[in-house]
Amino acid sequence: GAVVSQHPSWVICKSGTSVKIECRSLDFQATTMFWYRQFPKQSLMLMATSNEGSKATYEQGVEKDKFLINHASLTLSTLTVTSAHPEDSSFYICSAQGSGNYGYTFGSGTRLTVV
Amino acid sequence: GQQVMQIPQYQHVQEGEDFTTYCNSSTTLSNIQWYKQRPGGHPVFLIQLVKSGEVKKQKRLTFQFGEAKKNSSLHITATQTTDVGTYFCAGQGDMRFGAGTRLTVKP
């Protein structure tokens, strides 16, 4: 089956620093990946659609200069939270669609805490 | 753009009771997907519905897609504690999720 690996699973960083989150499709190629953030007891909010070899498409209200997305290969997309602040603390999760599977597979998520 | 609304937001049931969550779209959907997220976990794909009026079953779970392809429902018969979690719908492949329904089950 389709497996998406996301790292790190949790990270604590200081205010003002940057954090990179990786999302890898392990057994399939993913032309498109999706990045979400989820606050406690809330739904997943789509942040951006990551497209291999081209610029990501950001949702309205998401700062593209703050949340840098790079999809350099068919198996890897990265989300970098730049100059992180406490309000960026959240659960970040990626997803991709594997071939032969109608559904989307999610990574295990990254819990970011900015102190 | 497309907006998917989901109700109820929360549902607390006694084990053995039935549970239903509803998903409504402002526009016609080409398909709808359902996911389950356990507390502390990530969403897991349950099913996709494509055809108008489609009904699919997975053991105690019954999924329906409305005739107009604007609404969908997930019904769980005789809930168990293992059903606890948040159930999300997502439409049309742009992967925007409904608000989800958080199900808790009292043993």
Side-chain angles (χ1 to χ4, degrees), chain B residues 32-47:
Chain B
I32 195 161
Q33 300 177 357
W34 285 92
Y35 293 79
K36 176 184 179 181
Q37 185 178 23
R38 293 181 184 274
H42 58 276
V44 174
F45 173 72
L46 294 177
I47 209 161

Side-chain angles (χ1 to χ4, degrees), chain B residues 87-102:
Chain B
Y87 293 84
F88 294 99
C89 59
Q92 195 97 3
D94 65 358
M95 292 307 288
R96 292 184 179 86
F97 282 76
T101 297
R102 184 182 303 273

Side-chain angles (χ1 to χ4, degrees), chain A residues 27-112:
Chain A
D27 50 359
F28 66 100
Q29 293 182 332
T31 306
T32 302
M33 289 187 178
F34 300 91
W35 287 96
Y36 299 84
R37 67 186 297 181
Q38 186 178 35
F39 291 106
K41 297 185 179 181
Q42 293 189 21
S43 184
L44 297 108
M45 298 303 298
L46 180 64
M47 298 175 67
T49 302
S50 171
N51 303 296
E52 187 270 334
S54 65
K55 292 182 179 180
T57 304
Y58 289 83
E59 293 297 295
Q60 191 172 10
V62 177
E63 299 176 60
K64 62 180 181 180
D65 294 329
K66 180 170 184 61
F67 299 99
L68 301 178
I69 291 175
N70 185 282
H71 196 153
S73 77
L74 287 171
T75 60
L76 173 64
S77 177
T78 62
L79 167 67
T80 301
V81 183
T82 62
S83 187
H85 293 284
E87 57 264 32
D88 298 324
S89 299
S90 188
F91 187 60
Y92 293 87
I93 192 165
C94 63
S95 76
Q97 185 176 27
S99 60
N101 179 6
Y102 294 121
Y104 285 73
T105 301
F106 283 81
S108 54
T110 298
R111 193 161 302 281
L112 170 65

Side-chain angles (χ1 to χ4, degrees), chain A residues 12-19 66 80-85 88 112 114-115:
Chain A
I12 301 173
C13 71
K14 291 185 177 179
S15 242
T17 61
S18 296
V19 173
K66 180 170 184 61
T80 301
V81 183
T82 62
S83 187
H85 293 284
D88 298 324
L112 170 65
V114 184
V115 298

